[in-house]
Amino acid sequence: HKLAIYEWGAPDAYPIVCIHGLTRNARDFDYIARELAAGYRVVCIDVAGRGKSEYFKDVRWYENGVYLQDILAALDWMNIQKFDWIGTSMGGIIGMTVASLMPEKISRLVINDIGAFIPIEGLFRIMQYVGKKMRFDNFDEAERYLRTVMTPFGIADDLHWRHVFDHSLIRHMDGSVSLSYDPKIAEAFKLAISALPELDNISLWMLWETIKCPTLILRGADSDILPADVAQKMRDTHPNATLVEFKGVGHAPALLEDHQIRTVTDWLAANPLPAD
């Protein structure tokens, strides 16, 4: 299957890989990629079933293990063997997995509003809207829907909203509009949640405890996916972790505003790449 990949910066610069959340796409990173491109090769990938990447025929393929294999295969094809990683939500879980199981690949890790413990209540909230409505009569209706379900992202600037709309919605010849992800992703997500023992919370502490690379933990202060006490415990139990919270934001910070982008760029500057 085909994956859409967006590149920024010089091809011989050090790579930063950016992976989006469950129903989002690589264009969420356009603003931060533009800043990072001055010193890095930024690679943003539409995970299968999102954006301009191909959709899977089998719903069972929509799971993190497959995404991980896809991303690593794409990076190998691009001759990228070592990199930094910025991951939002689902993209952060995949990044944590790489940093834990293949520590030689990730130099520095940025995880955006995801962590070592995920409350089931937050997952249920996401389940309430993912895939519920995929087709709209017109663009205005689609915009109103996105503004509602993406309220926790804390997007305030109309220019940023326009960017989200432009890359999250697909116009059709009959005037209708659809969301730019495969509806089967909702089915796969619900299957994954229902498979949890007793519909319990998700613990990734065993994964987290093995991660040693410098890590920046970003958290929306109102997040129901990364609780404040979990984020603090992650900070306290990691030898080289930094925790930053953004006020007035839930799950997940959009990384569109200047102060959020500066948080990442300043942290990278303060944590230089380790010498080989």
Side-chain angles (χ1 to χ4, degrees), residues 1-6 18-20 24-27 44-57 62 67 70-71 74 90 167 170 179-183 185:
H1 50 276
K2 296 178 181 177
L3 295 179
I5 301 172
Y6 302 87
C18 301
I19 303 297
H20 56 78
R24 301 301 307 144
N25 60 72
R27 304 306 298 271
C44 308
I45 302 175
D46 279 340
V47 175
R50 288 85 167 172
K52 297 188 181 301
S53 287
E54 275 191 276
Y55 292 5
F56 284 145
K57 295 181 175 66
Y62 285 124
Y67 305 151
D70 268 3
I71 293 163
M90 178 189 77
H167 299 292
I170 302 171
L179 300 177
S180 62
Y181 68 89
D182 187 352
I185 290 170

Side-chain angles (χ1 to χ4, degrees), residues 254-276:
L255 302 184
L256 295 172
E257 296 189 23
D258 289 343
H259 74 281
Q260 294 181 5
I261 294 172
R262 280 198 307 273
T263 295
V264 177
T265 56
D266 289 351
W267 179 81
L268 289 171
N271 291 269
L273 288 166
D276 290 332

Side-chain angles (χ1 to χ4, degrees), residues 10-23:
D12 58 346
Y14 193 80
I16 296 182
V17 178
C18 301
I19 303 297
H20 56 78
L22 181 67
T23 61

